[in-house]
Amino acid sequence: MTAYERTGAQAAAAAGQDVAHDAVVLAGGAARRLGGVDKPAVSVGGRPLLDRVLAACADARTTVVVADPRPTVRPVTWAREDPPGGGPLAALDAGIRHTTAESVLVLSADLPFLDEDTVRRLLDALRTGGADGALLTDADGRDQPLVAAYRASALRRELAALAHKHDGLSGLPLRRLTGALDLTRVPDPVASFDCDTWDDIATARARIREHGHVLDEWISAVKDELGIDLDVDIKVLLDLARDAAHGVARPAAPLTTFLVGYAAAQAKGGGGGPEAVAEAARKAAALALRWAEEAAAAKSDAPEATPETRPDAG
């Protein structure tokens, strides 16, 4: 395997070229280390883990989620391995059958810090290199094959070979696939952080509330909740709020109010009235309540996050 560092020429090419790609999100694991809860539905920053991953790969031409169907932040194609619970290779095989693009993202549904920039870096590394795939490595340098972009032809080739050799894919470990592929590593200790335990969940919830992250996380969550796509210049809005309110703190309040107003203006073709405002405010208030409930749960039920468990530790 090789480490990936984009050259200036590659960066320039990437800036002017979009990659047609699909995405397969594996969301049907047993989550035994979480006591068997529905892990993709666990909330971080008021949003289910699955919805956070779907937001990161929103540019995919087709997104396939391998799991039992559920409400999601955007429409997806649903698939299921046969039999259910057959493991990651069986799930990947079920998902990739619904894709047509040559580049395919393969993602787990428990990545709270995955974002669109990271997805673009993976696709860029795949396109500009000659390997079969590009995957993230975590803070300890370990491969994360479920945060990766692959050539679909390579996946199909190796999955078919493994199925023929082992009379099926059920129960086979993921390393049987990745060991047969030529892969490029893309280091990213934050985006590669996944939530396998309640301590991981506590760490993720604590990190998004830190000063350098909380406003961006909150605004992203509100926009998803209200169903709006708007690039907000937070500094301009905060300056306006400071001037209008004589330097009053609590910046999330005016930003949220702005987004509620924007969502109401968009309702019914721009003619939304008091009912539209009330509905948007209800959604934002419910989101704020979920944030408060997570903060309370972090203090009472979840283990304390330690510096060593942080995704960017080391």
Side-chain angles (χ1 to χ4, degrees):
M1 294 188 183
T2 57
Y4 171 70
E5 293 184 7
R6 186 165 62 183
T7 68
Q10 290 169 339
Q17 181 179 3
D18 292 330
V19 180
H21 64 280
D22 294 330
V24 176
V25 181
L26 306 188
R32 294 183 180 87
R33 296 172 69 185
L34 288 175
V37 302
D38 183 9
K39 182 165 65 169
V42 171
S43 176
V44 172
R47 293 186 290 168
L49 285 168
L50 175 57
D51 281 351
R52 296 179 73 91
V53 173
L54 292 178
C57 63
D59 288 337
R61 187 171 62 186
T62 298
T63 299
V64 184
V65 179
V66 185
D68 292 330
R70 68 186 68 209
T72 51
V73 70
R74 63 181 178 86
V76 300
T77 299
W78 296 97
R80 203 68 169 107
E81 71 273 27
D82 186 18
L89 288 189
L92 176 56
D93 183 63
I96 202 171
R97 292 175 184 272
H98 296 271
T99 67
T100 56
E102 173 57 12
S103 298
V104 58
L105 296 165
V106 176
L107 307 169
S108 62
D110 60 352
L111 302 166
F113 306 126
L114 185 68
D115 58 24
E116 292 176 330
D117 287 342
T118 304
V119 165
R120 283 191 288 267
R121 288 174 59 216
L122 286 169
L123 292 167
D124 183 17
L126 179 67
R127 183 181 67 254
T128 58
D132 296 322
L135 53 74
L136 293 193
T137 56
D138 64 16
D140 297 319
R142 292 173 298 195
D143 292 343
Q144 299 295 318
L146 296 184
V147 201
Y150 296 97
R151 301 190 193 281
S153 55
L155 290 182
R156 292 191 174 95
R157 180 190 71 231
E158 297 304 331
L159 287 169
L162 287 168
H164 177 75
K165 181 177 180 180
H166 298 279
D167 195 24
L169 297 169
S170 183
L172 293 181
L174 194 58
R175 64 178 179 273
R176 294 289 183 89
L177 173 67
T178 56
L181 297 174
D182 176 25
L183 301 173
T184 295
R185 291 186 176 96
V186 180
D188 193 324
V190 176
S192 63
F193 181 82
D194 56 0
C195 292
D196 290 327
T197 67
W198 285 115
D199 192 44
D200 294 336
I201 297 292
T203 297
R205 288 172 171 173
R207 185 181 186 276
I208 67 169
R209 292 177 175 275
E210 293 174 356
H211 176 71
H213 307 286
V214 64
L215 282 184
D216 285 339
E217 286 284 350
W218 171 247
I219 295 306
S220 294
V222 173
K223 289 194 294 184
D224 281 352
E225 192 72 10
L226 300 180
I228 59 178
D229 184 12
L230 175 68
D231 289 330
V232 179
D233 188 333
I234 292 178
K235 184 180 184 303
V236 168
L237 293 175
L238 288 179
D239 288 346
L240 175 62
R242 180 200 60 203
D243 294 341
H246 305 288
V248 174
R250 305 185 62 154
L255 290 174
T256 306
T257 303
F258 166 77
L259 291 174
V260 165
Y262 184 85
Q266 294 274 302
K268 299 180 181 178
E275 297 83 5
V277 174
E279 176 63 9
R282 182 193 66 78
K283 290 182 177 181
L287 179 63
L289 179 60
R290 294 202 296 274
W291 274 57
E293 289 172 347
E294 286 182 11
K299 293 180 180 179
S300 59
D301 298 329
E304 290 291 329
T306 62
E308 291 76 19
T309 65
R310 291 173 49 84
D312 50 355

